[in-house]
Amino acid sequence: MPGAAVRPVVGQPVSRVDGRLKVTGGATYAAEFDPGPDMVYGVIVGSTIANGRIAAIDTAAAEAAPGVVAVLTHQNAPRLPYQRHQQLPVDPAVGERLHNLQDDRVRFQGQTVALAVARTFEQATFAASLVEVTYDEEPAVTTFTAAARHAVPPDPVWAQTMFGFREEVGRGNVDAAMREASVRTDAEYVIPRENHNPIEIPATIASWQGDQLILWDKSQWVDNVRDEMASVFDIPAENIRVISRFVGGAFGSALRAWPHVALAAMAARVVDLPVKLVLTRRQMFNLIGYRPHTVQRVALGADGNGRLMAIRHEGMAETSTYEQYAENLLNPTRYLYSCPNVVTRYRFAPMNVQTPTAMRAPGEVSGIYALECAMDELAVALDMDPIELRMRNEPDRDEDRDLPFSSRSLRECYRVAAERFGWDRRDPSPASMRDAQGNLVGYGCATGTYPTLYSPASARAVLHPDGTAVVSSASSDMGPGTYTSMTQVAADALGLPIDRVRFELGDTSLPKATVHGGSMTMASIGTAVQMACVQAKRQAFEQARVSDPEAELGGVMRTLSEPVEAIAQNTAAQQQANYSMHSFGAVIAEVRVDPDLGLVRVPRIVGAYGIGRVVNPKTAHSQCIGGMVMGLGMALLEQTIIDSRNARPANSSLADYLVPVNADIHELDATFVQEVDPHVNPLGVKGAGELATIGVAPAIVNAVYHATGVRVRELPVTPEKLLAAPRSAAARG
């Protein structure tokens, strides 16, 4: 049954297959599902202290309010088993998650102390405002400075996890090498807390049908939500179904099952009605994790030719008092540049706050910020071009693990980025370049890198007699284009036109998937999709007794009367023991700084990335420019202001917490270098989601130094910091 060859679509800039649904309002998000007319609404009452106990709680007025169905507190909420459940990489390996309304203990400001449930959202909101709580307040650690005085090393348990965190890791003799170095730099770099603010706020609808629980939830990992609820209520996981077909941005905020998910399920069981619980934007700052405040010290030593002789990188990050949240803050320092003497040291600063969580490129984006700013300072001390300094310290292999890189295209990334940007027009002297309006002009660069991750995942392929296929996995799509890229992989594996293939995701009734994060979705789930499709196609040919491998699958299927189904789990493990696997990127930014007002504008960012095989250049480009926008926000705008009295986020609204808007964004140029890596996974992909943010903030900060001669080491770079610093005569004009 020969047929016209189907053009491969992997590698093509295919438009989003779910695009029409999104722009017409057909995509249904968590809070938009309708389980029936009897659904009620829950509203959380948060604590107003950072540490202590509830002395008394009066719910009489709330219970008497119109439409109120129930008011739950620690005094009347059902006792839940809360069996042990810690699923890496989203749950901290050390500590215990919050147990909703199970005792009178308050651990941070904003913690749930009551839940009002009513017929309408407005009625529930009013009832919540009537709950009166008095506290026995206890001393609390509410500032990072105070927490740093009692910093602790990672618990030994961390060393046994996939992250392998240890108190101190190193090679060589850093102290001796520092003494011998011709040029040395030593500085501290500070990143404030950054809070998640995606378009879609966290939401859960919970409905019990007998002993079966259905959750419509905003989630990046429906299987983990199911397992967490199974442990909270001590019921079989197969009794729980979690649905999350579309996610309106998450970037790590929806990796864990945060307390509101269990609260919605608890309330639904108590009132025997479906319950919708949607957090407010302000509650997100208290009840959802965030990028933790970090303080890092980076000391570099080099010889006169710019060869690194020693690196000391120490980091301290905030965490909660009840869990240790750790990030890969220091890992890139150990392999990014060639250096015989390296030591890294990690510390936690416990505070009376909610536990931090992953936020796009967790750890790497923060650690690279400090390292790349330090490299820029070293280049200045050496009077050397910053790109040249990085190229002189390119390693031949991963010197931390003593392994070859599976592929490493950083040199090519810098070559391409520098050419596209016009780096050769850069005058190396700070504050030496101006535009026609008199603004100071600066160019800055930075390296990006992120590990290539891979995790077990499953997929199903069902081939129908009409020549169509439905492929599925319980993955998520928070925006990168999972629906589209998986459809492309499936179409090519089956040899079908893309419009004959449909991909389904976001439901625990589908084959089990891994977390939608860590830039591992395509590597892990895409591989399973490819395997399931290849297996289903083989079965179809066998059942139709077709021996010609070039036969067209649609024609083969039309000879069969029943669908053909295959389920596969990826089994081709990465060669992690044999290779060091990472993606790399080079970022170059231009800034314009008003010398009188200190206002910073970013007219251009150029990024060149080595991410292996690019399944869809269109969605990958979108990922990269989105990452650039987030990096710009990190550099110039984002910071959560913490009230030192009770650790309350003081700017917990989009009126006060600044994020980039269209007026802040100008030319974003993202491109991909050709890179073939046969070792990472069967698809040869590395992932771009995290990498695209890494390196942007330091490139901008380094460009600000080049423009003004002012070195800002605490993010974000604000006009106040620039104007308060001593400026050169050139910068003053």
Side-chain angles (χ1 to χ4, degrees), residues 405-417:
F405 291 102
S406 60
S407 62
R408 182 178 171 110
S409 56
L410 187 57
R411 284 188 181 276
E412 181 65 6
C413 289
Y414 266 112
R415 185 191 67 78
V416 170

Side-chain angles (χ1 to χ4, degrees), residues 590-611:
E590 176 184 340
V591 301
R592 305 285 175 98
V593 183
D594 186 308
D596 299 315
L597 301 178
L599 294 173
V600 180
R601 294 288 183 261
V602 183
R604 288 192 300 153
I605 302 176
V606 174
Y609 305 100
I611 59 171

Side-chain angles (χ1 to χ4, degrees), residues 169-517:
V169 180
R171 60 182 180 270
N173 188 327
V174 169
D175 291 336
M178 280 290 186
R179 290 192 295 269
E180 297 173 6
S182 301
V183 179
R184 293 179 290 274
T185 63
D186 193 338
E188 184 176 271
Y189 304 91
V190 179
I191 301 174
R193 179 191 298 188
E194 294 179 59
N195 272 88
H196 283 284
N197 276 287
I199 294 175
E200 184 191 12
I201 52 182
T204 302
I205 300 174
S207 177
W208 290 87
Q209 300 175 4
D211 61 354
Q212 305 290 311
L213 172 62
I214 300 178
L215 293 168
W216 293 270
D217 183 49
K218 177 185 178 179
S219 173
Q220 292 174 244
W221 196 3
V222 291
D223 289 317
N224 187 56
V225 174
R226 178 200 57 199
D227 294 345
E228 168 67 359
M229 293 304 102
S231 70
V232 168
F233 292 94
D234 195 19
I235 61 177
E238 54 266 27
N239 287 12
I240 302 171
R241 183 182 179 190
V242 182
I243 299 169
S244 184
R245 297 202 175 105
F246 292 93
V247 178
F251 313 104
S253 65
L255 290 175
R256 293 189 75 173
W258 295 104
H260 69 276
V261 183
L263 273 170
M266 176 201 290
R269 174 177 268 186
V270 169
V271 303
D272 197 25
L273 295 168
V275 172
K276 177 190 286 191
L277 179 51
V278 181
L279 299 187
T280 66
R281 181 70 60 177
R282 191 172 298 278
Q283 286 172 335
M284 280 192 65
F285 283 74
N286 294 110
L287 298 175
I288 301 296
Y290 47 85
R291 194 188 305 283
H293 182 115
T294 59
V295 175
Q296 300 175 72
R297 176 200 172 193
V298 181
L300 302 178
D303 64 20
N305 294 318
R307 299 284 186 181
L308 286 168
M309 297 175 63
I311 303 175
R312 180 184 299 279
H313 192 169
E314 300 174 354
M316 184 185 301
E318 73 176 311
T319 190
S320 66
T321 57
Y322 57 93
E323 289 179 307
Q324 281 189 356
Y325 171 75
E327 294 188 328
N328 292 324
L329 189 70
L330 307 174
N331 289 20
T333 299
R334 300 173 194 147
Y335 69 81
L336 188 53
Y337 297 117
S338 179
C339 183
N341 306 287
V342 178
V343 66
T344 61
R345 190 168 183 251
Y346 194 92
R347 287 287 186 276
F348 293 111
M351 298 174 60
N352 287 104
V353 294
Q354 161 72 301
T355 303
T357 196
M359 187 172 184
R360 198 169 190 170
E364 276 86 359
V365 72
S366 302
I368 285 288
Y369 161 71
L371 178 62
E372 287 301 285
C373 286
M375 287 292 285
D376 198 70
E377 296 203 43
L378 181 63
V380 172
L382 287 161
D383 193 22
M384 182 178 293
D385 181 271
I387 294 180
E388 176 61 23
L389 174 64
R390 288 163 172 81
M391 295 301 95
R392 288 193 184 189
N393 290 284
E394 263 287 276
D396 294 327
R397 59 194 290 112
D398 181 334
E399 295 174 353
D400 177 47
R401 299 176 61 202
D402 192 25
L403 290 174
F405 291 102
S406 60
S407 62
R408 182 178 171 110
S409 56
L410 187 57
R411 284 188 181 276
E412 181 65 6
C413 289
Y414 266 112
R415 185 191 67 78
V416 170
E419 286 183 1
R420 294 173 76 95
F421 184 88
W423 181 261
D424 58 355
R425 297 194 297 269
R426 178 181 184 268
D427 185 324
S429 300
S432 60
M433 298 170 62
R434 288 181 181 261
D435 64 12
Q437 289 73 42
N439 294 307
L440 295 161
V441 178
Y443 295 172
C445 69
T447 299
T449 183
Y450 195 77
T452 303
L453 305 176
Y454 187 84
S455 187
S458 301
R460 176 192 295 119
V462 180
L463 311 181
H464 294 281
D466 64 356
T468 63
V470 177
V471 185
S472 58
S473 179
S475 181
S476 295
D477 188 348
M478 61 173 163
T482 308
Y483 279 108
T484 307
S485 57
M486 295 300 170
T487 302
Q488 290 177 259
V489 170
D492 274 11
L494 294 169
L496 290 176
I498 194 169
D499 60 0
R500 305 292 286 171
V501 179
R502 186 174 85 252
F503 185 72
E504 298 177 340
L505 54 73
D507 192 325
T508 51
S509 66
L510 303 176
K512 192 170 184 178
T514 188
V515 59
H516 182 50

Side-chain angles (χ1 to χ4, degrees), residues 251 291 359-360 625-635 638 693:
F251 313 104
R291 194 188 305 283
M359 187 172 184
R360 198 169 190 170
I625 63 174
M628 290 175 179
V629 172
M630 291 191 75
L632 185 149
M634 183 180 188
E638 295 192 52
T693 298

Side-chain angles (χ1 to χ4, degrees), residues 102-125:
Q102 300 298 291
D103 56 38
D104 62 358
R105 184 81 240 174
V106 174
R107 295 166 178 82
F108 59 88
Q109 204 273 353
Q111 178 185 323
T112 301
V113 295
L115 180 71
V117 183
R119 296 293 176 182
T120 69
F121 172 72
E122 292 78 12
Q123 290 172 332
T125 301

